[in-house]
Amino acid sequence: MAWRLRGVKSGYRLYYNAKKSRYEVHDVERKCDTLAFVSPFGELDCRLVDYAAYSGVQNAEKIFADIERNNGLISKNAARRNLEKQMEIYEQRRFYESN
């Protein structure tokens, strides 16, 4: 797995942080703190390599577009849930006022 990460970027090194029970990818080519990212997956598989390739700086525009799209979906779902809750309150109020 580690050699596949080096195929994405030669400075990537894979470590397991036993204290935090997680996999971390460090970039030894950096001058300061080497932590590049923490694996969002609990186990090692090809998803980590895909994530490393996706999360690179060269994909920043795509990542920001994905974040904006996801935030839009979250807002849309929150608005829908809020409307449903208000309709439920309205129905309860109507029921109690009619009795």
Side-chain angles (χ1 to χ4, degrees):
M1 179 60 61
W3 62 271
R4 291 183 66 196
L5 277 172
R6 288 189 193 122
V8 174
K9 186 171 181 184
S10 62
Y12 280 167
R13 300 294 183 267
L14 179 65
Y15 296 99
Y16 182 75
N17 186 332
K19 197 175 207 179
K20 296 184 179 181
S21 300
R22 67 185 189 186
Y23 291 99
E24 299 176 347
V25 176
H26 292 255
D27 186 356
V28 296
E29 294 175 350
R30 288 184 178 177
K31 292 181 182 180
C32 55
D33 184 31
T34 65
L35 180 63
F37 63 90
V38 175
S39 173
F41 315 108
E43 53 200 32
L44 290 179
D45 55 27
C46 63
R47 296 177 299 171
L48 183 61
V49 176
D50 294 339
Y51 184 79
Y54 169 79
S55 65
V57 174
Q58 67 277 12
N59 294 329
E61 287 184 29
K62 184 177 188 292
I63 292 169
F64 289 132
D66 289 347
I67 290 170
E68 288 299 320
R69 186 177 64 248
N70 189 39
N71 286 346
L73 291 172
I74 290 170
S75 295
K76 184 178 176 182
N77 288 337
R80 182 178 40 81
R81 282 192 306 272
N82 188 24
L83 180 62
E84 289 171 355
K85 185 170 183 146
Q86 287 190 12
M87 289 299 293
E88 182 181 314
I89 290 169
Y90 172 75
E91 292 296 325
Q92 288 174 354
R93 182 185 246 170
R94 217 173 98 203
F95 173 78
Y96 288 118
E97 288 176 356
S98 67
N99 289 333

